C-alpha cells in the first residue's frame, strides 16, 4: 500500500541529520579530552601521534554533530591566508624574544631543563617538526581554540568562550607538570622538590597555561583563524626545545 503524504513527510524528517545541543557537545568534548589527556600522557614519542590525530578528528566530529562548521573551529577557507600571516609574524616575534633571552646572562638559566641532557640533535628535530606540531599543537588548538571555543562562542559569546576554553586548557596541563619542579632548575630553585613544592609548581603551570590560553583565544578572535594561535603555540614550544638543547 503506498505511503501517504504525511507518512512520507515524517519519514523524510526522520532521515535528516540530527544535531545535539551545544552544552551536551561541550560535555562530550570534555569527556573526550579527559580520556585523551591520560592517553597522551602515557603514550609518548611517535606513539603519541596516533591518539592526537584520532582525538582531533573526534572533536571536529562532535562540533559537526552539534551543527557547527569549519568556520566555528576557525578553519574556514577564506580565513586561512590571514591566519597564516598572523602566524608568520608571531613566529618571528617569538624567535627574537627567545634569541634575546638566550643571549642575556640574566635570563639564560630559564631555558635550562634536565630533560634535554639525554637528547641528541635528531630527537630535538623530531620534537620540533613532528611531535610538537602534531602531538601538541594540532590536538590542543583544535580542542581548546577550535571546538570548545567555537561551541561556547555560538551561544554565549567570546568572553564565555575564552573563559571556558582557558580554564580547561590550564587543567589540561596538570599531568604534564607533575615533574616540572625536578626537571627545571629555575623552578626547583623557587619551590624545591618537596610535596608542597610539586603542588606549587603544578598550580603555577595551570595558572600560566590558563593565561596563555586567554592570549591564544584572543588571537583566534582577532585573526578569525586557528592558524594564528597555532603559530604562536608551535613557536613557544619548538624554540624552547631548540634553545634549551643548544644551551645545555
Amino acid at each position: 500500500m503506498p505511503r501517504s503524504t504525511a507518512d512520507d513527510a515524517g519519514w523524510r524528517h526522520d532521515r535528516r541529520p540530527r544535531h545535539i545541543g551545544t552544552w551536551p557537545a561541550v560535555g562530550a568534548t570534555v569527556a573526550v579530552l579527559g580520556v585523551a589527556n591520560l592517553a597522551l600522557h602515557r603514550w609518548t614519542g611517535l606513539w603519541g601521534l596516533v591518539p592526537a590525530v584520532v582525538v582531533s578528528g573526534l572533536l571536529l566530529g562532535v562540533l559537526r554533530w552539534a551543527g557547527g562548521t569549519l568556520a566555528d573551529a576557525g578553519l574556514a577557507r577564506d580565513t586561512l591566508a590571514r591566519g597564516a600571516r598572523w602566524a608568520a609574524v608571531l613566529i618571528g616575534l617569538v624567535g627574537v624574544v627567545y634569541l634575546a633571552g638566550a643571549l642575556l646572562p640574566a635570563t639564560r638559566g630559564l631555558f635550562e631543563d634536565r630533560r634535554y641532557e639525554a637528547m641528541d640533535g635528531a630527537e630535538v628535530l623530531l620534537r620540533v617538526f613532528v611531535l610538537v606540531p602534531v602531538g601538541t599543537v594540532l590536538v590542543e588548538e583544535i580542542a581548546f581554540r577550535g571546538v570548545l571555543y567555537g561551541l561556547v562562542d555560538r551561544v554565549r559569546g567570546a568572553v564565555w568562550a575564552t573563559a571556558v576554553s582557558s580554564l580547561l586548557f590550564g587543567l589540561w596541563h596538570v599531568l604534564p607538570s607533575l615533574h616540572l619542579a625536578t626537571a627545571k632548575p629555575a623552578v626547583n630553585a623557587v619551590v624545591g622538590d618537596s610535596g608542597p613544592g610539586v603542588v606549587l609548581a603544578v598550580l603555577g603551570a595551570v595558572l600560566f597555561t590558563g593565561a596563555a590560553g586567554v592570549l591564544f583565544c584572543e588571537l583566534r578572535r582577532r585573526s578569525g583563524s586557528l592558524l594564528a594561535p597555532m603559530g604562536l603555540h608551535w613557536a613557544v614550544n619548538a624554540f624552547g626545545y631548540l634553545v634549551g638543547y643548544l644551551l645545555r
Side-chain angles (χ1 to χ4, degrees), residues 7 14 19 23-24 27 29 35 41 47 55 60 66 68 75 78 81 111 117 119-120 131 166 220 226 232 239:
D7 287 342
D14 290 341
H19 300 310
W23 294 113
T29 300
V35 176
H41 184 68
W47 284 109
V55 168
L60 288 173
L75 295 171
D78 59 354
F111 295 99
E117 294 174 358
M119 292 185 188
D120 58 19
L131 299 183
S166 301
R220 154 74 199 277
L226 198 60
L232 179 59
F239 291 167

Side-chain angles (χ1 to χ4, degrees), residues 59-119:
L59 294 179
L60 288 173
V62 170
L63 178 63
R64 183 175 181 181
W65 191 19
T69 65
L70 288 178
D72 291 316
L75 295 171
R77 184 177 301 177
D78 59 354
T79 66
L80 294 182
R82 176 179 172 84
R85 291 193 295 270
W86 276 72
V89 171
L90 291 166
I91 290 170
L93 289 174
V94 173
V96 170
V97 171
Y98 272 47
L99 178 60
L103 294 176
L104 294 174
T107 55
R108 190 176 300 159
L110 297 175
F111 295 99
E112 294 180 5
D113 193 318
R114 296 188 179 96
R115 291 171 292 188
Y116 300 144
E117 294 174 358
M119 292 185 188

Side-chain angles (χ1 to χ4, degrees), residues 6-240:
D7 287 342
D8 188 53
W11 179 83
R12 288 200 304 268
H13 176 75
D14 290 341
R15 298 289 290 181
R16 293 172 185 168
R18 295 187 176 186
H19 300 310
I20 61 173
T22 296
W23 294 113
V26 171
T29 300
V30 173
V32 170
L33 288 175
V35 176
N37 192 252
L38 295 173
L40 292 170
H41 184 68
R42 177 181 292 271
W43 294 354
T44 58
L46 291 174
W47 284 109
L49 300 180
V50 177
V53 172
V54 170
V55 168
S56 298
L58 283 174
L59 294 179
L60 288 173
V62 170
L63 178 63
R64 183 175 181 181
W65 191 19
T69 65
L70 288 178
D72 291 316
L75 295 171
R77 184 177 301 177
D78 59 354
T79 66
L80 294 182
R82 176 179 172 84
R85 291 193 295 270
W86 276 72
V89 171
L90 291 166
I91 290 170
L93 289 174
V94 173
V96 170
V97 171
Y98 272 47
L99 178 60
L103 294 176
L104 294 174
T107 55
R108 190 176 300 159
L110 297 175
F111 295 99
E112 294 180 5
D113 193 318
R114 296 188 179 96
R115 291 171 292 188
Y116 300 144
E117 294 174 358
M119 292 185 188
D120 58 19
E123 182 174 355
V124 171
L125 291 177
L126 176 67
R127 288 176 180 270
V128 168
F129 293 109
V130 179
L131 299 183
V132 168
V134 179
T136 300
V137 175
L138 177 71
V139 64
E140 292 182 1
E141 291 306 320
I142 284 179
F144 296 102
R145 266 68 63 180
V147 174
L148 273 173
Y149 184 94
L151 285 169
V152 180
D153 184 49
R154 292 194 310 168
V155 294
R156 288 297 182 91
V159 173
W160 269 88
T162 297
V164 171
S165 169
S166 301
L167 173 62
L168 293 173
F169 186 59
L171 295 175
W172 171 266
H173 287 83
V174 169
L175 287 180
S177 62
L178 289 177
H179 302 290
L180 189 63
T182 56
K184 295 190 75 67
V187 176
N188 186 267
V190 176
V191 302
D193 51 10
S194 63
V198 172
V199 173
L200 285 174
V202 171
L203 180 60
V206 169
L207 292 175
F208 178 81
T209 52
V214 174
L215 173 60
F216 289 156
C217 286
E218 184 63 10
L219 289 173
R220 154 74 199 277
R221 185 186 72 83
R222 287 180 177 271
S223 69
S225 172
L226 198 60
L227 294 185
M230 277 183 164
L232 179 59
H233 198 164
W234 175 81
V236 169
N237 287 20
F239 291 167

